[in-house]
Amino acid sequence: MVQKTGAQFRWRHVLGSAVLILVMMALISHPLVPEGTLLHGVMDTVGFMFYLAGLGFRFWATLYVGGRKGSSVIAEGPYSVCRNPLYLGSFLLAIASALFIQSWVFAVGIVAASLFYIIATVPREERHMREGHGEEYVQYCRRVPRFVPRFSLYHSPPEFTVSTKGLWIECRRIFPWLWVPLLGELIAHARSQPWIPHYF
């Protein structure tokens, strides 16, 4: 079983605080494109595509791995096409939030923070998996890409057990992301107010 270390939890707190600062900076920045333009609509549409894909990947992965992460080598469903579908889903959600909020400061910051967390976390988790599952996990890594899905590898049993506890934990983790589209709209509305300064 992959254990969450105190350092990982501390990094989550640091990144959470950084995201709040980025949101405040986005509020006092100019939007990437003017409201009401065709390009603005395109960015919102693309944002929703990334948003739904991110939610979909995280929920799909939780169906297979919920409550069992690290205890065995999961190689079916989303884990047959990508070794880290949960992190892939989170990264897609980060891109979606950048497109919704439309601030270059927020976009650079949230993508950088997501990449930093993934780079800091994934190698540690993979090391634990190699130590715990040996050659089975090594062969899995050779066969399945780390992040970019290869859908030609997809396979899944006709039936599998779903952990309701794991699903509930995922629902709590994903809850803050559900507000991202609304947050983008609120920031866009606030930016249009004359009492909000725009510094960059």
Side-chain angles (χ1 to χ4, degrees):
M1 183 73 176
V2 175
Q3 298 295 324
K4 295 293 184 184
T5 65
Q8 282 177 284
F9 282 117
R10 284 195 296 273
W11 276 118
R12 284 186 177 180
H13 280 298
V14 170
L15 291 175
S17 300
V19 169
L20 289 176
I21 293 171
L22 288 170
V23 168
M24 296 304 296
M25 292 179 70
L27 186 61
I28 58 174
S29 67
H30 292 283
L32 290 174
V33 295
E35 290 282 333
T37 62
L38 176 61
L39 185 55
H40 180 272
V42 169
M43 290 183 71
D44 272 350
T45 300
V46 174
F48 268 108
M49 291 171 64
F50 275 98
Y51 180 71
L52 294 176
L55 289 178
F57 258 104
R58 286 202 60 97
F59 184 76
W60 187 27
T62 301
L63 290 176
Y64 283 80
V65 78
R68 296 183 293 151
K69 187 175 182 180
S71 62
S72 61
V73 178
I74 310 298
E76 294 84 29
Y79 288 89
S80 67
V81 301
C82 167
R83 299 202 309 262
N84 296 281
L86 283 170
Y87 291 128
L88 174 61
S90 295
F91 186 65
L92 293 174
L93 287 169
I95 294 175
S97 66
L99 290 169
F100 286 136
I101 293 175
Q102 294 196 19
S103 162
W104 68 268
V105 175
F106 184 86
V108 171
I110 193 68
V111 171
S114 300
L115 287 174
F116 179 82
Y117 182 77
I118 289 171
I119 291 170
T121 303
V122 170
R124 184 184 297 114
E125 291 188 349
E126 290 187 343
R127 184 170 62 252
H128 281 293
M129 290 294 290
R130 283 194 300 272
E131 292 170 355
H133 303 285
E135 187 62 22
E136 180 185 6
Y137 186 71
V138 170
Q139 291 300 322
Y140 170 69
C141 289
R142 290 174 180 167
R143 186 174 68 253
V144 179
R146 179 178 273 176
F147 290 116
V148 180
R150 189 182 303 161
F151 290 101
S152 61
L153 297 174
Y154 176 77
H155 63 87
S156 179
E159 295 180 357
F160 60 93
T161 302
V162 175
S163 166
T164 53
K165 180 180 178 181
L167 281 178
W168 172 242
I169 292 172
E170 176 61 14
C171 286
R172 286 188 297 173
R173 287 177 178 167
I174 211 70
F175 182 75
W177 289 105
L178 298 178
W179 297 94
V180 166
L182 178 60
L183 180 62
E185 290 300 316
L186 289 175
I187 287 179
H189 176 72
R191 277 194 189 120
S192 66
Q193 304 304 309
W195 50 270
I196 295 289
H198 294 136
Y199 293 108
F200 44 87

